[in-house]
C-alpha cells in the first residue's frame, strides 16, 4: 500500500482555522465540511483527523496520527512522548497567574497557602515546585476565571491572550508562567517513507512562513544613489537592477524583512528612491 501520513488537527476552536489555512497555503487540497472526523487529501499523501485539541498529543504519541498541530500549553500539560518539529507562529498566548484586582500583590509568596484554580495542573505544579511555593491546586476544566468570585479559589492560572477575560472578571495578571504558540508535532520513530512526506510538508511550511515574513520591494533610483540603496536592501543574493527608459535611472527589485519594512522604506526615500512599491510574497524558497 502507498504510504500516507495522518495529521491530527483541531476540529473546531482557536487552532483549527489557522491550522487548515496553513495547510491550504501549502497547496494541500482537502474537504472538511459535513462534520467529518476523517478526510483524505486529493493531491498530497495525507489524511486529516479532526479532533479535540486535548486528544492530539495522545493520538500522536500512540501513532494513531503521525503528526499533529497543537498548542504548546496542551502539549506540555499532557506530557506525552512526541517530537516537536516546528513552531507555527499562530495561536500565541500565555499561561498566567491572576488574582482579584483589589488584592495587593507583593510577589510569588502571595500564593503560599492559597488555592489556585486551573485547567493546567501539571504546568502549574511544576512552576510552584520550582519556585518553592506551597499552594493548593484545584483542577477545573473550564470557566476558570469565575473561580475567585464564587469562592472556589483565591487565584487562577489560565490562558491569557488580550487580557480582556481577566479584566471582565475583576482579575489582574500577576505572573506570566509559560508562553505558547501552535506547534507541529510528530510520532517518535516514523519510517523513512513517512519521514520523507513530512520533510516535504516542512519544506512547504517553511516556504509559506518565509514568504509571510518578507516583502518584495520595487523602486526607481537615480544611478548615483544605487550603491547606497543596494546596501539598504541586499535581498536574498543581491538586488536586481534594470535600467529605466529614462537616462540615468534604474529600477531596483529586492526582498526586505517584514519587521524592518517601515524603517528601511524611510532610509530608501532619504537615499533618493522614488515610486516605491511593496508587494506581499506568497512563497519564498531561499
Ligand atoms: O474543543 P477543544 O478541546 O478542541 O478546544 P478548547 O476549547 O480546549 O480550546 P480552544 O479552541 O479555546 O483553544 C485552543 C488553543 O488555542 C489553546 O490550547 C491555546 O494554545 C490557544 N489559545 C490562544 C487560546 C487563547 N489564545 C485564548 N485566548 N486558548 C484559550 N483562550 C481563552 C482562555 O482560556 C480565556 O478563557 O480565551 C480567554 C482569554 O482570552 P483573552 O483574549 O480575553 O485574554
Ligand atoms: Zn481542549
Amino acid at each position: 500500500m502507498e504510504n500516507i501520513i495522518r495529521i491530527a488537527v483541531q476540529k473546531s476552536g482557536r487552532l483549527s482555522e489557522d491550522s487548515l489555512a496553513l495547510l491550504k497555503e501549502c497547496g494541500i487540497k482537502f474537504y472538511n465540511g459535513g462534520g467529518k472526523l476523517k478526510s483524505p487529501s486529493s493531491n498530497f499523501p495525507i489524511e486529516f483527523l479532526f479532533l479535540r485539541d486535548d486528544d492530539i498529543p495522545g493520538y500522536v504519541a500512540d501513532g494513531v496520527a503521525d503528526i499533529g498541530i497543537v498548542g504548546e500549553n496542551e502539549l506540555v500539560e499532557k506530557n506525552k512522548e512526541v517530537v516537536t518539529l516546528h513552531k507555527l507562529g499562530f495561536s500565541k498566548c500565555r499561561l498566567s497567574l491572576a488574582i482579584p484586582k483589589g488584592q495587593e500583590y507583593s510577589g510569588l509568596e502571595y500564593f503560599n497557602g492559597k488555592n489556585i484554580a486551573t485547567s493546567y495542573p501539571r504546568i502549574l505544579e511544576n512552576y510552584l515546585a520550582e519556585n518553592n511555593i506551597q499552594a493548593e491546586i484545584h483542577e477545573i476544566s473550564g470557566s476558570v476565571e469565575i473561580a475567585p468570585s464564587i469562592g472556589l479559589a483565591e487565584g487562577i492560572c489560565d490562558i491569557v491572550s488580550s487580557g480582556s477575560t481577566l479584566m471582565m472578571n475583576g482579575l489582574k495578571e500577576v505572573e506570566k508562567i509559560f508562553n505558547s504558540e501552535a506547534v507541529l508535532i510528530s510520532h517518535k520513530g516514523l519510517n523513512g517513507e513517512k519521514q520523507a512526506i513530512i520533510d516535504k510538508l516542512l519544506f512547504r511550511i517553511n516556504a509559506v512562513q518565509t514568504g509571510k515574513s518578507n516583502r518584495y520591494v520595487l523602486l526607481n533610483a537615480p544611478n548615483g544613489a544605487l550603491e547606497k540603496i543596494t546596501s539598504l536592501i541586499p535581498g536574498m543574493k543581491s538586488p536586481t537592477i534594470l535600467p529605466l527608459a529614462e537616462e540615468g535611472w534604474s529600477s531596483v527589485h529586492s526582498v526586505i524583512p517584514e519587521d524592518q519594512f517601515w524603517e528601511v522604506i524611510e532610509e530608501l526615500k532619504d537615499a533618493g528612491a522614488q515610486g516605491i512599491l511593496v508587494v506581499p510574497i506568497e512563497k519564498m524558497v531561499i
Side-chain angles (χ1 to χ4, degrees), residues 42-254:
S42 57
N43 67 346
F44 195 83
I46 196 164
E47 182 177 52
F48 288 73
L49 292 185
F50 299 107
L51 304 169
R52 283 198 62 191
D53 70 341
D54 311 52
D55 297 331
I56 292 176
Y59 273 67
V60 173
D62 296 345
V64 175
D66 301 302
I67 57 175
I69 296 179
V70 70
E72 286 172 299
N73 51 314
E74 211 55 64
L75 181 61
V76 174
E77 182 60 32
K78 292 291 182 286
N79 195 29
K80 300 283 182 189
E81 274 220 24
V82 298
V83 184
T84 300
L85 293 175
H86 200 71
K87 291 198 180 237
L88 298 173
F90 57 82
S91 295
K92 287 190 174 173
C93 58
R94 56 193 185 270
L95 194 61
S96 292
L97 284 165
I99 62 170
K101 219 168 29 199
Q103 294 284 321
E104 207 168 297
Y105 184 73
S106 49
L108 254 187
E109 314 77 58
Y110 173 92
F111 290 100
N112 267 324
K114 299 262 190 342
N115 292 312
I116 310 173
T118 190
S119 309
Y120 296 91
R122 183 189 298 269
I123 299 178
L124 178 58
E125 192 183 334
N126 289 341
Y127 179 80
L128 295 175
E130 272 164 26
N131 289 283
N132 257 325
I133 302 292
Q134 266 79 47
E136 189 75 35
I137 299 175
H138 272 277
E139 183 179 353
I140 50 177
S141 59
S143 304
V144 174
E145 63 280 355
I146 63 163
S149 66
I150 59 171
L152 181 69
E154 284 118 333
I156 67 162
C157 172
D158 199 14
I159 298 285
V160 181
S161 174
S162 65
S164 63
T165 302
L166 292 184
M167 216 166 66
M168 281 187 313
N169 287 280
L171 301 170
K172 62 178 176 188
E173 187 176 7
V174 290
E175 303 283 347
K176 298 178 174 75
I177 71 176
F178 185 83
N179 283 314
S180 175
E181 65 183 90
V183 286
L184 184 71
I185 56 171
S186 90
H187 181 67
K188 271 193 161 174
L190 290 176
N191 70 34
E193 277 178 60
K194 287 193 173 186
Q195 200 54 56
I197 300 171
I198 292 168
D199 289 345
K200 219 168 153 178
L201 177 63
L202 278 172
F203 174 82
R204 294 188 187 191
I205 291 174
N206 269 315
V208 170
Q209 287 184 325
T210 313
K212 279 200 177 126
S213 55
N214 287 280
R215 294 287 179 272
Y216 193 67
V217 57
L218 306 93
L219 57 87
N220 296 329
N223 287 346
L226 283 177
E227 202 176 323
K228 170 78 183 160
I229 285 174
T230 53
S231 74
L232 290 171
I233 46 172
M236 284 195 275
K237 203 170 194 76
S238 69
T240 305
I241 300 179
L242 302 163
L244 285 188
E246 187 174 325
E247 191 76 17
W249 282 77
S250 296
S251 167
V252 182
H253 301 196
S254 194

